C-alpha cells in the first residue's frame, strides 16, 4: 500500500484510470510516479507535504531517465538532452524501497528491450529533509556494445511555467567566488505561443562546467524561485569533473535536467560492452518554502529555506571527522604574509605569535620544498624539504617548534602535479600521467598525474605516509593550480572527458584511503582558492578554501556567499590583519571569518601589543561561538550578496531558531581601491535594517549583543584607540522590521566597518 510516512515500507501501487501510481517519501518529501499501461514511468509529483502548488498529474511530459547513445540520438533536435530517442523507450520492470541509517531509498528498474539496456534510477532522501538525491546506473544486458553519450542524473518536469520563475546562478572565478545573480527564466526561454505551433520551444538555459576545475567559471549549482508562490528548487551536481544543467519549457511547464559530463560539451562518452555498467554522478535537489507559504521554516525566503536543507544534506553525506565539530583555528603563513617563501628565520617568530593569538594549527604553505635556483613551479613533485630554507635541524626543527607551542603542524601539498624538471617526471611510467594521442600533457610547466594508475597512486601514498606518518604532520592543504580541459585519453579511455572523470573519482577514492590510514589527519581542499568547490569533494575533505582574494575589501561578498556552497564549519575564510592597518581595518578583516573557519594569517610578529590584543579578542570570540556553527543553517537578511554592494550580511540560525548570529559589513566608497584607500573613512550615520523576523514570533523578546569588535579593555579605552573600534557601530532591535516580525537596525558610520551580532529570543 502507499506509504509516505517516516517509516517507508514497500512503495505503493494503486490505480488511476489505466495507470498505476507509486508513492514514496517521508514527512518532509513526497514523490509520486505514474506507470502507464505499456510500462512507461514518469515522476508526476515531487513536493513537500502540504504543498498545494500545481503538479503534472498523470501526464508528466518527460520520462524518469533521458540518455543519448550512438545510433540513438534525440527525438526532437535542439541544444537539450531531453526528448531523447532512448529515454521514452525505457519501461518499468520493478522497484524496491529500503530504509537504513536515517535514509529512505527507492530503486526503479527500467529496461529497453530493443537495445537490452537496463537503467536503475537510484533515488534517496535523508529522513526529515526535503532533499532528493538521484543517480542512474546503466547496465548493458544486450548482446551488442552501446556507446553512451549522455545520461541524466536527475530529471524533473512540470514545474511552473517559465514566465513565473526566476533562475539563479553563481559565477565562480578566481578571486571572485560565489557571485550569485538572478534573472527571469523567460529572458532565456521566451513565450513562443506553443499552442499555435503545436511544438514546444527548442530553447533552454544551460550551464556547463568543464575541465579539471569543477567549479571554475560557475558553481555546479542553480536554483529556481517562484514569484509570489513561496517555493524554491535548489540543486547541485556532485561531479568532481564535468557537469551540465539545463532548464526549459515542456508542455506549458518547466523542466530541470541535471547531467554529469556529456559528449557534446565535455568530449565524454563510455562504451558499454555486454554486461558492463556505468553510474552517473549524483544530482541533488532541495525544496524550499518561504514564510507565508504554509510549509516553510526559514527566516524569510524560500531560497534561504532551500539552502538550509541543502546544508543539512551536505552534513548527512560527508565523511565523519572530528574536525567538523572541533573547528580549530588555523594559522597559514601564505596569504599577504610569506607568500610561498618560508624559511626557519621567518617562520619561528610567526609560530610563536600565532600560538599566543590562539591558533591551534599552523600550516606552512608553498615553498617548503624549494631548493632550486631556477624556481620551484616546474620542479615540484618529489616533495622533499629544502635544506637551504631550513638549516640547523631542517624542517623537523620547525615542525617541532609548532608542536612545542601547542599547535598541530601542517604542510601545503599539490599532489596531482609533477613539474617537467622534477626527477619524478622520468621515474614514473608515461601511463601514470595525463595524455592525449600518446603525448604526455604539459600545462604551465607541469604534468598531471592520473590517479587510476598504480604507480601514480603509490608515489602519493609514499609521499603522504612520509609527511604524516614519519614527520607527524596533522594537516594537509591540498592545492591544485592548473586547469586541464577536456581531460586525458589513456589506453583504456574512449574519450578524454571519461578519462578526466575517472581520474577525479580515483583521486577522491585515494584521499578516502589516506584518511582511513590516518584518521586524525585534517585535509583542506584548495584549487587556486575555490575552483574545486563541488559536493563530491566536500563529502571527503574536512575544509574547503573559499578564495585566494588578497584585498580585504573584496572579501565580504565571498565570505557571505560561501555558505551557499559549503557548510560554515568547512568554509575556510582568510583573516589577514596587518600591522599597517588601523584598528577598524584589523577588525574588518578579522570579522569576515567569524561565521566560517578562521584561517588566520598576516604579519602578527610585527604588530604592537595593542594590535595583537585585537586579534586575540576576535579569536576568543570565535572560540565561544564555533560550537554552534557545526549545526547552524545559513540565511541572508539582505538577500544573496552582490559583488559591489555597500552593505553585505549573512546569518546563522541555531537552537531551533531561538538564537541567530549575523555578520554585517559596510564597505562604503573604498571598494576597489584596496585596503590602503579605505582606512577610517567617515561615511555619516549609515544604517540598514536586517529583517530577522522569525526570531520574534510567539511574543518572544529579542536580545541583541555585539560580539565583534570586542569591547575595549580599560587601559586601551583610556588611550582612545581600541575604543574607536567599538564606537564605529551599533545594533538595536526594531519591532515590525519584517512585515511586522522585527529586525536589527545596524549603524556603521565609519567604513570599512563590520559587526558580528548575536540575537537571542526569550519568552
Amino acid at each position: 500500500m502507499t506509504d509516505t510516512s517516516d517509516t517507508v515500507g514497500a512503495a505503493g501501487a494503486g490505480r488511476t484510470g489505466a495507470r498505476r501510481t507509486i508513492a514514496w517519501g517521508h514527512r518532509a518529501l513526497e514523490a509520486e510516479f505514474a506507470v502507464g499501461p505499456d510500462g512507461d514511468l514518469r515522476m508526476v509529483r515531487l513536493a513537500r507535504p502540504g504543498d498545494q502548488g500545481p503538479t503534472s498529474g498523470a501526464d508528466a511530459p518527460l520520462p524518469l531517465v533521458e540518455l543519448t547513445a550512438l545510433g540513438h540520438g534525440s527525438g526532437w533536435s535542439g541544444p537539450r538532452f531531453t526528448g531523447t530517442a532512448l529515454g521514452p523507450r525505457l519501461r518499468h520492470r520493478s522497484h524496491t524501497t529500503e530504509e537504513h541509517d536515517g535514509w529512505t531509498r527507492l530503486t526503479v528498474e527500467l529496461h529497453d528491450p530493443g537495445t537490452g539496456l537496463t537503467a536503475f534510477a537510484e533515488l534517496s532522501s535523508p529522513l526529515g529533509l526535503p532533499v532528493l538525491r538521484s543517480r542512474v546506473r546503466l547496465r548493458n544486458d544486450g548482446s551488442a556494445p552501446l556507446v553512451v553519450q549522455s545520461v541524466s542524473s536527475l530529471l524533473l518536469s512540470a514545474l511552473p511555467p517559465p514566465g513565473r520563475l526566476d533562475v539563479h546562478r553563481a559565477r565562480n572565478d578566481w578571486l571572485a567566488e560565489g557571485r550569485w545573480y538572478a534573472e527571469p527564466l523567460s529572458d532565456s526561454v521566451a513565450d513562443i505561443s506553443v499552442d499555435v505551433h503545436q511544438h514546444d520551444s527548442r530553447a533552454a538555459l544551460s550551464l556547463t562546467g568543464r575541465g579539471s576545475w569543477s567549479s571554475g567559471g560557475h558553481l555546479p549549482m542553480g536554483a529556481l524561485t517562484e514569484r509570489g508562490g513561496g517555493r524554491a528548487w535548489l540543486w547541485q551536481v556532485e561531479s568532481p569533473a564535468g557537469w551540465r544543467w539545463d532548464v526549459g519549457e515542456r508542455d506549458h511547464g518547466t523542466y530541470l535536467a541535471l547531467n554529469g559530463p556529456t559528449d557534446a560539451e565535455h568530449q565524454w562518452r563510455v562504451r558499454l560492452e555486454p554486461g558492463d555498467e556505468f553510474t552517473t554522478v549524483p544530482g541533488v535537489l532541495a525544496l524550499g518554502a518561504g514564510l507565508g507559504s504554509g510549509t516553510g521554516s526559514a527566516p524569510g525566503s524560500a531560497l534561504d529555506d532551500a539552502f538550509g536543507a541543502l546544508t543539512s544534506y551536505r552534513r548527512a553525506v560527508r565523511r565523519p571527522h572530528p574536525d567538523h565539530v572541533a573547528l580549530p583555528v588555523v594559522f597559514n603563513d601564505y596569504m599577504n604574509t610569506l607568500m610561498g617563501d618560508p624559511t626557519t628565520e621567518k617562520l619561528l617568530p610567526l609560530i610563536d605569535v600565532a600560538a599566543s593569538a590562539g591558533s591551534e594549527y599552523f600550516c606552512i604553505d608553498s615553498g617548503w620544498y624549494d631548493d632550486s635556483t631556477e624556481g620551484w613551479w616546474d620542479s615540484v613533485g618529489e616533495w622533499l624539504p629544502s635544506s637551504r630554507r631550513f638549516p640547523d635541524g631542517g624542517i623537523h626543527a620547525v615542525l617541532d617548534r609548532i608542536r612545542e607551542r601547542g599547535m598541530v603542524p601542517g604542510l601545503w601539498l599539490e599532489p596531482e602535479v609533477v613539474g617537467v624538471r622534477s626527477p619524478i617526471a622520468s621515474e614514473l611510467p608515461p601511463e601514470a600521467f595525463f595524455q592525449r594521442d600518446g603525448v604526455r600533457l604539459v600545462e604551465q610547466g607541469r604534468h598531471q598525474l592520473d590517479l587510476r594508475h598504480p604507480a601514480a597512486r603509490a608515489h602519493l601514498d609514499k609521499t603522504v605516509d612520509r609527511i604524516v606518518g614519519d614527520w607527524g604532520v596533522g594537516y594537509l592543504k591540498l592545492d591544485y593550480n592548473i586547469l586541464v580541459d577536456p581531460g586525458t585519453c589513456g589506453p583504456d579511455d574512449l574519450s578524454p572527458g571519461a578519462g578526466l572523470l575517472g581520474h577525479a573519482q580515483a583521486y577522491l577514492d585515494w584521499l578516502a584511503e589516506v584518511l582511513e590510514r590516518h584518521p586524525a589527519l585534517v585535509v583542506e581542499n584548495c584549487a587556486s582558492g575555490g575552483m574545486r568547490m563541488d559536493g563530491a569533494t566536500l563529502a571527503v575533505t574536512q575544509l574547503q578554501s573559499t578564495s585566494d582574494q588578497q584585498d580585504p575589501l573584496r572579501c565580504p561578498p565571498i565570505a557571505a556567499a560561501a555558505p551557499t556552497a559549503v557548510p560554515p564549519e568547512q568554509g575556510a575564510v582568510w583573516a589577514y590583519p596587518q600591522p599597517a592597518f588601523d584598528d577598524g581595518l584589523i577588525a574588518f578583516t578579522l570579522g569576515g571569518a567569524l561565521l566560517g573557519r578562521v584561517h588566520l594569517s598576516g604579519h602578527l610578529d610585527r604588530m604592537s601589543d595593542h594590535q595583537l590584543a585585537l586579534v586575540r579578542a576576535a579569536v576568543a570570540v570565535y572560540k565561544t561561538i564555533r560550537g554552534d556553527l557545526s549545526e547552524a543553517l545559513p540565511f541572508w537578511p539582505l538577500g544573496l550578496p552582490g559583488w559591489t554592494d555597500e552593505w553585505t550580511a549573512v546569518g546563522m540560525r541555531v537552537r531551533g531558531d531561538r538564537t541567530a548570529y549575523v555578520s554585517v559589513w559596510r564597505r562604503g566608497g573604498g571598494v576597489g581601491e584596496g585596503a590602503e584607500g579605505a582606512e577610517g573613512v567617515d561615511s555619516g550615520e549609515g544604517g540598514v535594517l536586517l529583517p530577522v523576523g522569525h526570531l520574534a514570533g510567539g511574543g518572544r523578546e529579542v536580545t541583541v549583543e555585539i560580539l565583534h569588535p570586542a569591547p575595549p579593555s580599560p587601559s586601551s579605552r583610556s588611550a582612545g584607540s581600541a575604543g574607536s573600534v567599538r564606537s564605529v557601530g551599533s545594533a538595536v532591535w526594531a519591532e515590525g522590521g519584517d512585515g511586522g516580525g522585527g529586525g536589527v537596525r545596524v549603524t556603521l558610520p565609519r567604513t570599512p566597518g563590520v559587526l558580528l551580532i548575536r540575537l537571542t529570543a526569550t519568552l
Side-chain angles (χ1 to χ4, degrees):
M1 59 183 292
T2 300
D3 188 348
T4 57
S5 66
D6 286 338
T7 304
V8 181
R15 286 281 180 180
T16 304
R19 287 179 175 261
R20 292 182 297 134
T21 60
I22 301 169
W24 170 75
H26 51 80
R27 67 179 183 272
L29 186 73
E30 295 177 346
E32 186 175 328
F33 307 84
V35 184
D38 61 351
D40 71 306
L41 183 143
R42 298 169 186 244
M43 183 189 295
V44 298
R45 175 175 168 79
L46 181 69
R48 298 167 63 134
D51 180 1
Q52 300 302 315
T55 58
S56 61
D59 298 320
L62 293 175
L64 188 60
V65 176
E66 294 268 34
L67 71 156
T68 58
L70 292 181
H72 307 273
S74 62
W76 173 236
S77 294
R80 313 190 297 194
F81 293 100
T82 56
T84 65
L86 267 177
R89 286 165 39 182
L90 294 169
R91 294 293 179 259
H92 174 260
R93 291 211 300 199
S94 67
H95 57 273
T96 60
T97 64
E98 65 172 338
E99 184 177 319
H100 184 65
D101 291 338
W103 287 71
T104 180
R105 294 175 173 84
L106 169 68
T107 300
V108 179
E109 181 179 345
L110 307 167
H111 184 70
D112 171 37
T115 61
L117 180 69
T118 302
F120 299 88
E122 300 175 347
L123 311 178
S124 60
S125 180
L127 295 176
L129 289 180
V131 179
L132 174 68
R133 187 178 199 248
S134 174
R135 65 180 186 179
V136 174
R137 176 166 54 92
L138 301 179
R139 186 178 69 205
N140 185 358
D141 291 331
S143 58
L146 187 69
V147 178
V148 178
Q149 297 173 281
S150 70
V151 55
S152 62
S153 294
L154 187 152
L155 190 60
L156 180 65
S157 58
L159 295 170
R164 290 170 47 190
L165 298 174
D166 292 322
V167 61
H168 305 253
R169 292 165 279 177
R171 295 185 177 95
N172 200 67
D173 298 309
W174 183 52
L175 309 181
E177 291 85 352
R179 289 155 31 239
W180 285 86
Y181 60 106
E183 64 182 4
L185 180 56
S186 57
D187 285 358
S188 297
V189 184
D191 183 353
I192 62 167
S193 299
V194 168
D195 291 335
V196 172
H197 296 92
Q198 297 299 301
H199 278 294
D200 288 305
S201 170
R202 296 179 192 255
L205 173 61
S206 64
L207 198 63
T208 301
R210 296 175 54 191
S212 55
W213 279 350
S214 57
S215 57
H218 279 83
L219 291 176
M221 299 179 64
L224 292 169
T225 53
E226 185 179 21
R227 282 186 230 115
R231 295 186 295 174
W233 299 263
L234 171 69
W235 59 85
Q236 67 180 23
V237 185
E238 294 183 350
S239 174
W243 53 269
R244 170 194 165 106
W245 60 257
D246 59 276
V247 289
E249 185 178 20
R250 187 67 185 263
D251 285 10
H252 301 286
T254 298
Y255 75 84
L256 165 68
L258 305 185
N259 282 69
T262 67
D263 190 11
E265 294 173 313
H266 306 92
Q267 298 185 38
W268 175 93
R269 60 188 185 278
V270 294
R271 181 184 184 92
L272 297 181
E273 298 288 346
D276 285 352
E277 293 190 358
F278 170 78
T279 302
T280 69
V281 301
V284 178
L285 181 70
L287 306 180
L291 290 181
S293 67
T295 61
S297 60
S301 78
L303 192 55
D304 279 356
D305 191 40
F307 275 120
L310 192 59
T311 299
S312 296
Y313 159 83
R314 288 165 173 160
R315 289 169 174 150
V317 298
R318 71 189 176 195
R319 178 188 182 88
H321 196 284
D323 182 80
H324 296 320
V325 178
L327 279 62
V329 175
V330 178
F331 187 96
N332 181 296
D333 68 28
Y334 184 84
M335 189 58 69
N336 291 352
T337 310
L338 300 188
M339 300 297 290
D341 187 27
T343 65
T344 299
E345 181 181 10
K346 295 176 181 178
L347 284 168
L348 294 183
L350 275 176
I351 291 168
D352 293 346
V353 73
S356 73
S359 297
E360 293 148 305
Y361 282 66
F362 189 103
C363 183
I364 304 171
D365 210 279
S366 61
W368 60 268
Y369 39 78
D370 175 20
D371 239 348
S372 173
T373 58
E374 302 175 55
W376 57 263
W377 180 264
D378 59 358
S379 64
V380 296
E382 199 170 17
W383 307 116
L384 296 175
S386 166
S387 58
R388 175 176 59 86
R389 292 179 174 275
F390 306 108
D392 303 325
I395 197 171
H396 299 288
V398 178
L399 298 177
D400 287 343
R401 181 68 156 262
I402 295 171
R403 282 185 282 264
E404 289 167 3
R405 294 298 182 264
M407 297 181 292
V408 176
L411 285 179
W412 178 96
L413 199 65
E414 196 169 358
E416 293 163 86
V417 302
V418 173
V420 296
R421 293 193 298 110
S422 172
I424 301 300
S426 58
E427 290 178 9
L428 296 180
E431 296 79 17
F433 298 92
F434 274 29
Q435 57 184 288
R436 295 282 305 279
D437 297 328
V439 177
R440 189 189 302 190
L441 300 184
V442 176
E443 179 64 30
Q444 287 186 265
R446 275 113 170 263
H447 301 299
Q448 162 88 44
L449 289 173
D450 187 336
L451 265 292
R452 296 173 297 174
H453 196 281
R457 207 169 182 123
H459 162 64
L460 291 190
D461 281 340
K462 181 180 178 181
T463 297
V464 171
D465 290 348
R466 178 178 64 248
I467 292 173
V468 178
D470 298 342
W471 299 359
V473 168
Y475 184 101
L476 288 179
K477 176 180 177 180
L478 300 185
D479 212 339
Y480 180 69
N481 292 302
I482 64 172
L483 171 64
V484 179
D485 187 13
T488 180
C489 210
D492 296 327
D493 294 326
L494 183 63
S495 63
L500 177 61
L501 181 60
H503 157 77
Q505 292 174 328
Y507 170 73
L508 295 181
D509 289 342
W510 166 78
L511 193 52
E513 290 182 4
V514 166
L515 289 166
E516 287 290 338
R517 295 199 307 276
H518 306 287
L521 176 67
V522 175
V523 173
E524 174 192 347
N525 177 54
C526 181
S528 290
M531 298 297 98
R532 267 185 171 177
M533 205 147 42
D534 63 83
T537 306
L538 278 169
V540 180
T541 59
Q542 286 69 65
L543 288 96
Q544 170 66 55
S545 174
T546 57
S547 185
D548 278 350
Q549 177 57 246
Q550 292 181 249
D551 181 355
L553 296 184
R554 292 294 189 191
C555 287
I558 299 173
T564 64
V566 187
E569 68 272 21
Q570 288 181 269
V573 179
W574 287 107
Y576 37 64
Q578 301 294 343
F581 290 0
D582 69 4
D583 289 359
L585 193 53
I586 288 175
F588 186 85
T589 189
L590 290 165
L594 298 182
L595 289 185
R597 288 299 295 273
V598 175
H599 269 208
L600 193 60
S601 196
H603 285 288
L604 307 188
D605 54 323
R606 303 177 187 175
M607 283 186 166
S608 67
D609 290 343
H610 164 69
Q611 290 174 320
L612 272 177
L614 299 178
V615 177
R616 292 188 184 107
V619 172
V621 165
Y622 178 74
K623 290 181 178 180
T624 67
I625 70 170
R626 62 183 173 184
D628 287 337
L629 298 183
S630 60
E631 298 180 354
L633 300 179
F635 66 97
W636 291 267
L638 300 178
L640 294 175
W643 186 241
T644 59
D645 287 353
E646 180 180 6
W647 290 91
T648 300
V650 64
M652 297 290 165
R653 52 193 180 106
V654 297
R655 299 194 190 98
D657 285 346
R658 294 194 306 274
T659 301
Y661 299 96
V662 179
S663 285
V664 56
W665 299 262
R666 187 186 183 199
R667 292 186 287 175
V671 178
E673 299 176 7
E676 294 79 3
E679 297 180 4
V681 178
D682 288 313
S683 301
E685 290 298 321
V688 68
L689 181 67
L690 306 179
V692 203
H694 68 289
L695 284 173
R700 297 185 296 184
E701 295 184 356
V702 179
T703 301
V704 180
E705 303 171 80
I706 296 177
L707 303 181
H708 175 80
S713 64
S715 59
S716 61
R717 186 184 297 115
S718 62
S721 178
S724 64
V725 176
R726 185 65 171 185
S727 67
V728 298
S730 64
V732 296
W733 185 255
E735 296 291 343
D738 183 24
V744 183
R745 173 69 65 181
V746 173
T747 59
L748 285 167
R750 287 170 59 84
T751 59
V754 66
L755 293 180
L756 172 62
I757 304 162
R758 177 164 55 203
L759 307 172
T760 306
T762 57
L763 291 177

